[in-house]
């Protein structure tokens, strides 16, 4: 089973700041990596697939990069609506989620 | 609009059986796998398994193999997740999601197991 590790677990940031979230796979997943955003009481929402392709309707301030075992989600200028938990997911070999990174207000 | 609509919240006792559902609309239901995802209270997302609605072929995460059964009825565009004997530790929110990268997601079904 492929293990996905996200860091940090919690990130305290101010609105307008640039945010970088990391996700590491225990073995290569090529570019078969997605990112999701989840707000309290809501289902997760797809942000990025194919490691770097934004899903429909996702603002350009969200970007993804990486391949193989190291991936990054960047939010260029954090907006108030972006405070949430972010999960990475590999779909190269079935599916596995990372433990999540909570982005909270500083 | 492509969407998945799940059945409502359930409250059950330990040892009882349960089947929850996920109905797709706005797309060809047999075109994409349907996965089920567990989220225990205050915790992260766990992939449980998936089904190919066109032939009902299933894959299960080793963590859930033997504990749940995933099925589908393509004639009514609906996938199911079922338990034969619930435990208190099955208390969680359960989501269905479509396709290789999960989009869309159902709204979630809260399952509470308590004596």
């Amino acid at each position: 089973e492929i293990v996905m590790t996200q860091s940090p677990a919690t990130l305290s940031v101010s609105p307008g700041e640039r945010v970088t979230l990391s996700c590491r796979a225990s073995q290569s997943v090529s570019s078969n990596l997605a990112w999701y955003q989840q707000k309290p009481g809501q289902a997760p929402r797809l942000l990025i697939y194919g490691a770097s392709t934004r899903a429909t309707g996702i603002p350009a301030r969200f970007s993804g990069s990486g391949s193989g075992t190291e991936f990054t989600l960047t939010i260029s200028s954090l907006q108030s609506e972006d405070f949430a938990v972010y999960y990475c997911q590999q779909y190269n070999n079935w599916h596995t989620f990372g433990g999540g990174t909570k982005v909270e207000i500083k | 609009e492509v969407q998945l609509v799940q059945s409502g919240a359930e409250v059950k006792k330990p040892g009882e059986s349960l089947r929850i559902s996920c109905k797709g609309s706005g797309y060809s239901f047999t075109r994409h796998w349907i996965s089920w995802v567990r989220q225990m209270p205050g915790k992260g997302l766990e992939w449980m398994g998936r089904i190919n609605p066109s032939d009902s072929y299933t894959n299960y995460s080793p963590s859930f193999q033997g504990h749940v059964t995933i099925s589908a009825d393509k004639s009514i565009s609906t996938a199911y997740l079922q338990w034969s004997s619930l435990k208190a530790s099955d208390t969680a929110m359960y989501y269905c999601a479509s396709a290789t990268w999960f989009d869309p997601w159902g709204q979630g079904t809260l399952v509470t197991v308590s004596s």
Side-chain angles (χ1 to χ4, degrees):
Chain A
E1 178 179 330
I2 298 175
V3 177
M4 307 300 292
T5 304
Q6 292 186 241
S7 61
T10 304
L11 200 53
S12 298
V13 297
S14 300
E17 285 188 21
R18 181 183 180 89
V19 172
T20 301
L21 311 180
S22 295
C23 175
R24 174 177 294 177
S26 60
Q27 63 189 77
S28 177
V29 298
S30 186
S31 294
N32 297 314
L33 191 285
W35 289 93
Y36 301 87
Q37 176 194 68
Q38 187 179 33
K39 297 179 181 180
Q42 297 184 15
R45 177 176 71 147
L46 176 69
L47 297 175
I48 301 284
Y49 62 92
S52 61
T53 302
R54 276 190 303 277
T56 301
I58 301 304
R61 64 180 181 272
F62 291 92
S63 63
S65 63
S67 66
T69 61
E70 300 284 342
F71 301 89
T72 299
L73 175 69
T74 300
I75 310 172
S76 60
S77 178
L78 198 73
Q79 304 298 300
S80 58
E81 62 267 29
D82 300 336
F83 291 98
V85 180
Y86 293 84
Y87 295 95
C88 63
Q89 175 212 31
Q90 68 82 19
Y91 51 88
N92 190 65
N93 183 358
W94 294 2
H95 301 273
T96 318
F97 289 97
T101 292
K102 182 179 181 180
V103 177
E104 62 179 24
I105 300 174
K106 188 174 183 179
Chain B
E1 179 190 6
V2 177
Q3 62 177 353
L4 298 173
V5 177
Q6 298 185 226
S7 50
E10 301 274 2
V11 179
K12 293 288 188 180
K13 290 180 166 48
E16 292 186 333
S17 63
L18 175 65
R19 188 178 78 168
I20 62 175
S21 66
C22 169
K23 182 174 177 61
S25 63
Y27 75 105
S28 175
F29 187 69
T30 56
R31 183 174 179 182
H32 299 296
W33 292 77
I34 294 284
S35 281
W36 286 95
V37 176
R38 183 176 78 174
Q39 188 167 38
M40 299 180 76
K43 302 299 184 182
L45 305 173
E46 302 173 90
W47 180 71
M48 302 175 70
R50 65 181 184 177
I51 188 165
N52 183 339
S54 65
D55 60 8
S56 290
Y57 182 78
T58 53
N59 297 126
Y60 292 92
S61 162
S63 299
F64 293 92
Q65 177 83 49
H67 296 289
V68 296
T69 301
I70 296 172
S71 60
D73 184 342
K74 62 183 179 183
S75 70
I76 55 172
S77 300
T78 301
Y80 302 98
L81 177 65
Q82 67 181 66
W83 297 259
S84 59
S85 181
L86 287 160
K87 304 175 183 178
S89 57
D90 293 318
T91 294
M93 182 71 81
Y94 293 89
Y95 294 101
C96 62
S98 176
T100 302
W101 46 84
F102 294 171
D103 185 41
W105 292 65
Q107 82 277 20
T109 296
L110 180 62
V111 174
T112 304
V113 185
S114 174
S115 55

